[in-house]
């Protein structure tokens, strides 16, 4: 394994999930193949101590800010190739090594991600219904990069300087690259726990929508495919699957509702997160 990559993990009060997720990422990794940098920002728990006990590099920031954490992690990174991993994400060290290897190829992608999967085992019937429809969206089918894990080659990381103050850092990075410059890592995935309640899912989706709206306003050149086009493709796929029809009203509540809430929201958006999935 000749690939080298720094893995940056922003963590704000993640003591409940960090130890097991770091163990999953670091287990069996050859020495010096991956550098792990946990950036504990604005923590009131023992996130930093847990990270140190895992034997990874730790940076501490007094203020809770994901963007500040990403930039601080970059400053502490030893390798030019970078992966950015949310602290609640479940991803194996084997997958991270495969990402590093993919991104070292001279003709390889500039940005890549494993396949994004959602764990709904502990979610309500309504949340599971929402994700049954979500599995058929263009977002899901088109090889989306990000939503918990994304990685940049050395050339890819040169595409921008510091992370800007945005809500949706992953979407910002994805849209800096054309589809031809992106890749899904074959045969590998990562898992994110779904919210347990529909109310929590709506809060999460509202934050995502606010992030998308912010990017469209501040970086209009990065806009992607229209909502109308995406919705049309989904409707066609649902029409051919009657078993999904009962779940459609729940999906509409979980998607249209957040768009309306985001459109009428006022004031700055804090780095909120779903606490129900961390229980």
């Amino acid at each position: 394994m000749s690939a080298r990559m720094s893995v940056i993990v922003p963590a704000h009060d993640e003591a409940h999930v960090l130890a097991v997720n770091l163990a999953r990422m670091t287990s069996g990794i050859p020495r010096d193949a991956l550098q792990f940098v946990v950036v504990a920002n604005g923590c009131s728990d023992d996130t930093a101590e847990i990270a140190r006990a895992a034997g990874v590099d730790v940076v501490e920031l007094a203020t809770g800010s994901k963007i500040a954490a990403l930039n601080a992690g970059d400053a502490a990174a030893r390798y030019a190739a970078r992966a950015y991993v949310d602290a609640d994400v479940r991803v194996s060290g084997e997958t991270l090594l495969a990402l590093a290897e993919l991104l070292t190829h001279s003709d390889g992608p500039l940005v890549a991600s494993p396949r994004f999967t959602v764990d709904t085992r502990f979610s309500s019937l309504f949340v599971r219904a929402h994700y049954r429809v979500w599995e058929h969206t263009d977002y899901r089918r088109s090889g989306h990069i990000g939503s918990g894990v994304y990685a940049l080659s050395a050339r890819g990381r040169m595409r921008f300087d510091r992370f800007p103050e945005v809500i949706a850092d992953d979407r910002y990075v994805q849209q800096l690259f054309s589809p031809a410059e992106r890749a899904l890592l074959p045969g590998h995935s990562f898992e994110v726990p779904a919210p347990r309640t529909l109310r929590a899912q709506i809060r999460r989706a509202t934050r995502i929508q606010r992030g998308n709206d912010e990017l469209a306003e501040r970086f209009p050149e990065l806009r992607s495919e229209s909502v109308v086009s995406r919705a049309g493709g989904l409707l066609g796929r649902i029409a051919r699957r009657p078993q999904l029809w009962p779940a459609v009203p729940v999906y509409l509540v979980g998607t249209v509702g957040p768009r309306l809430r985001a459109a009428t929201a006022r004031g700055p958006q804090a780095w909120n997160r779903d606490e129900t999935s961390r229980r």
Side-chain angles (χ1 to χ4, degrees):
M1 169 66 69
S2 59
R4 298 289 186 270
M5 185 169 70
S6 292
V7 181
I8 296 162
V9 184
H12 171 69
D13 284 346
E14 296 286 8
H16 186 67
V17 298
L18 187 62
V20 65
N21 287 344
L22 276 179
R24 187 181 287 110
M25 285 189 273
T26 59
S27 178
I29 301 303
R31 182 177 178 83
D32 294 332
L34 299 176
Q35 175 204 15
F36 292 91
V37 183
V38 172
V39 186
N41 59 102
C43 294
S44 59
D45 63 7
D46 55 350
T47 291
E49 287 74 17
I50 288 172
R52 288 193 183 93
V56 304
D57 294 341
V58 178
V59 176
E60 292 190 72
L61 302 178
T63 302
S65 165
K66 184 179 183 182
I67 296 302
L70 293 172
N71 287 322
D74 268 336
R78 293 198 302 267
Y79 302 131
R82 311 280 167 80
Y84 303 91
V85 180
D86 289 352
D88 65 325
V89 159
R90 303 161 187 165
V91 61
S92 70
E94 178 186 5
T95 292
L96 292 172
L97 280 174
L99 264 180
E101 188 69 24
L102 176 67
L103 292 168
T104 60
H105 294 168
S106 59
D107 59 347
L110 301 185
V111 61
S113 173
R115 185 172 182 268
F116 174 33
T117 63
V118 179
D119 178 11
T120 61
R121 289 175 300 164
F122 303 106
S123 300
S124 70
L125 289 174
F126 290 123
V127 173
R128 287 186 295 218
H130 171 87
Y131 280 103
R132 282 201 302 274
V133 176
W134 173 85
E135 282 287 347
H136 297 275
T137 60
D138 285 349
Y139 169 92
R140 181 66 171 147
R141 293 162 59 93
S142 62
H144 173 78
I145 300 296
S147 296
V149 178
Y150 58 92
L152 296 159
S153 69
R155 287 192 302 127
R157 187 58 189 84
M158 293 173 64
R159 184 65 57 91
F160 66 103
D161 185 15
R162 291 171 61 83
F163 282 90
E165 284 291 341
V166 295
I167 299 168
D169 61 281
D170 52 356
R171 188 173 177 86
Y172 168 78
V173 169
Q174 174 184 288
Q175 292 186 0
L176 289 173
F177 300 90
S178 70
E181 295 173 317
R182 310 172 194 162
L184 273 182
L185 180 64
H188 291 270
S189 65
F190 69 96
E191 186 177 70
V192 174
R196 295 200 175 192
T197 67
L198 186 59
R199 184 186 296 272
Q201 171 62 34
I202 289 173
R203 286 197 299 266
R204 182 182 191 177
T206 300
R207 180 186 182 279
I208 291 171
Q209 186 62 46
R210 289 195 69 183
N212 295 345
D213 292 346
E214 177 188 53
L215 289 181
E217 180 180 346
R218 291 182 54 190
F219 305 97
E221 70 278 9
L222 299 181
R223 288 187 182 182
S224 57
E225 185 182 5
S226 72
V227 172
V228 173
S229 174
R230 296 197 301 268
L234 177 60
L235 287 174
R237 287 185 284 274
I238 292 174
R240 299 190 295 271
R241 295 173 173 83
Q243 70 273 20
L244 290 177
W245 295 355
V248 170
V250 178
Y251 179 76
L252 290 175
V253 170
T255 53
V256 176
R259 286 174 185 156
L260 295 175
R261 287 162 60 99
T264 58
R266 296 290 182 270
Q269 172 68 54
W271 181 17
N272 61 15
R273 63 185 187 179
D274 172 44
E275 298 293 345
T276 67
S277 63
R278 287 170 167 80
R279 293 175 185 168

